[in-house]
Amino acid sequence: MNKETLIQKIKEKKELSGLDDSVILEVLEKAVSQSKVNLQTAKKAEIKDLIKKSRAELRKFSGRFTSSFEERLSLLKENKIQELIKTHSSTRERLDFYPTLNNLIKNLRIKSILDLGCGLNPIAIAFENPRIEYYPCDINNNDLKIVKEFFKKENISGKVFFYDLRKKDQKLPKVDLCLIMKVFDVVEQQGHKLAERIINSVNAKYFLISFSTKTLSGKPMNHPQRGWIERLLSRLGYNFQIINHKNEIFYLASKTKESVSL
Ligand SMILES: C[S@@+](CC[C@H](N)C(=O)[O-])C[C@H]1O[C@@H](n2cnc3c(N)ncnc32)[C@H](O)[C@@H]1O
């Protein structure tokens, strides 16, 4: 079986269907080299195992959501924005935090946002702040397509683009605020070198970095604060404020000294 056919097979799962082929190929090649299988002569069971292993690895990157791409597109067309943003677990879980976030954006006089690993978050924010120049990126092409359609419909300026945070390929736009929400736990598999490189590669006045504070089984974490990000931000010369919200902890970081009222 060739790699292209395998990629399409892996993508048959709804939650993986939006992932970019380049991301799937990388994971698949790793699984092939680890299992030492020859794709040309592989038996059915070996192919099945490769697909299973690749999917398990890819699920770590993909968000959890309940609707297909087509269902989401219909919600957008019918202007059911609240329902649309509820189809992604991260935006759904912070629905009642958005008013605080929107206040923050207003108080800080934010004019431009870079949203790394954006999911559907740009829709929730740009809906209330349509004049902001917005740069959302992700490796999930389905999420990016929905965000792009929404931006077109609402005339939001900026650019929706594919960007793999593990690579150093593109220059990122300079912005007032960079959002990295519930992303570091997903992209960082070992240590925190990548988080440091990402923060250093962004030219933003403010960062808003968040983490889930529940375990995979849904229970509250015993130690929800991330000591490592606090130490990292301090070492890089950032001041930060912590904002706790139900199942999520936010770090608002900046090199300026001013403290922000929420
Ligand atoms: C838990 S979701 C959070 C989505 C959004 N930031 C939010 O909080 O609403 C994690 C997001 O990171 C994206 N992601 C995972 N690995 C990535 C990578 N290497 N580069 C860019 N985005 C990535 C996923 O596609 C997904 O949209």
Side-chain angles (χ1 to χ4, degrees):
M1 190 177 275
N2 67 28
K3 287 181 186 166
E4 182 48 38
T5 314
L6 268 174
I7 289 174
Q8 296 317 319
K9 269 235 127 353
I10 291 168
K11 285 174 86 164
E12 281 172 11
K13 289 283 170 205
K14 186 165 72 178
E15 69 278 18
L16 304 177
S17 62
L19 287 176
D20 195 77
D21 287 0
S22 63
V23 176
I24 299 183
L25 178 65
E26 200 176 307
V27 168
L28 175 64
E29 284 180 336
K30 199 165 148 206
V32 171
S33 96
Q34 277 171 353
S35 58
K36 300 191 173 68
V37 168
N38 179 341
L39 283 184
Q40 306 313 319
T41 54
K43 298 192 183 85
K44 250 190 174 171
E46 289 173 323
I47 295 284
K48 214 172 147 188
D49 192 52
L50 274 178
I51 294 176
K52 195 172 152 197
K53 283 192 177 130
S54 304
R55 282 181 176 156
E57 189 59 27
L58 288 162
R59 279 195 184 97
K60 294 182 190 161
F61 306 148
S62 61
R64 282 174 294 131
F65 48 79
T66 47
S67 310
S68 69
F69 173 71
E70 290 71 24
E71 283 164 334
R72 289 166 145 196
L73 204 57
S74 318
L75 289 175
L76 178 60
K77 286 193 175 135
E78 291 162 31
N79 225 8
K80 295 183 174 162
I81 304 303
Q82 287 296 312
E83 281 180 49
L84 173 61
I85 57 182
K86 278 190 206 161
T87 64
H88 193 298
S89 59
S90 303
T91 29
R92 185 179 60 239
E93 285 165 13
R94 76 167 76 85
L95 266 189
D96 56 356
F97 181 71
Y98 281 110
T100 308
L101 190 45
N102 289 328
N103 269 344
L104 193 83
I105 288 170
K106 284 189 183 90
N107 291 347
L108 294 176
R109 296 191 185 83
I110 299 300
K111 304 254 181 307
S112 53
I113 293 180
L114 171 66
D115 196 339
L116 302 178
C118 62
L120 295 187
N121 183 58
I123 300 182
I125 293 187
F127 188 62
E128 297 293 337
N129 303 278
R131 282 210 288 274
I132 282 185
E133 200 177 307
Y134 212 121
Y135 298 91
C137 61
D138 206 291
I139 51 167
N140 190 313
N141 290 320
N142 283 354
D143 286 356
L144 292 176
K145 275 188 218 158
I146 297 283
V147 172
K148 213 175 199 160
E149 279 300 312
F150 173 80
F151 277 24
K152 210 161 90 189
K153 194 165 178 277
E154 300 294 322
N155 241 337
I156 310 290
S157 63
K159 189 179 172 206
V160 182
F161 60 106
F162 172 85
Y163 188 80
D164 186 339
L165 288 163
R166 296 164 306 161
K167 314 268 186 271
K168 304 180 195 172
D169 47 3
Q170 284 173 54
K171 203 168 154 22
L172 295 164
K174 181 180 173 197
V175 287
D176 291 337
L177 172 66
C178 174
L179 302 175
I180 312 177
M181 305 216 288
K182 287 191 175 174
V183 166
F184 281 150
D185 282 345
V186 177
V187 294
E188 288 225 296
Q189 313 258 309
Q190 286 163 343
H192 304 295
K193 286 222 155 47
L194 181 57
E196 179 165 356
R197 181 166 66 66
I198 293 170
I199 293 173
N200 280 332
S201 67
V202 173
N203 188 342
K205 198 163 167 205
Y206 300 96
F207 282 86
L208 188 65
I209 301 169
S210 83
F211 301 89
S212 174
T213 54
K214 9 172 241 198
T215 61
L216 284 178
S217 61
K219 298 209 178 86
M221 284 179 183
N222 291 333
H223 303 287
Q225 275 184 239
R226 302 304 200 273
W228 69 266
I229 193 81
E230 299 180 12
R231 288 189 292 277
L232 175 61
L233 289 170
S234 300
R235 183 159 60 74
L236 297 179
Y238 287 91
N239 304 306
F240 60 83
Q241 275 175 256
I242 294 178
I243 309 164
N244 275 299
H245 176 77
K246 279 190 195 157
N247 301 320
E248 197 167 358
I249 182 168
F250 296 83
Y251 290 90
L252 175 65
S254 167
K255 289 196 175 172
T256 64
K257 291 262 183 277
E258 63 188 297
S259 116
V260 183
S261 58
L262 302 171

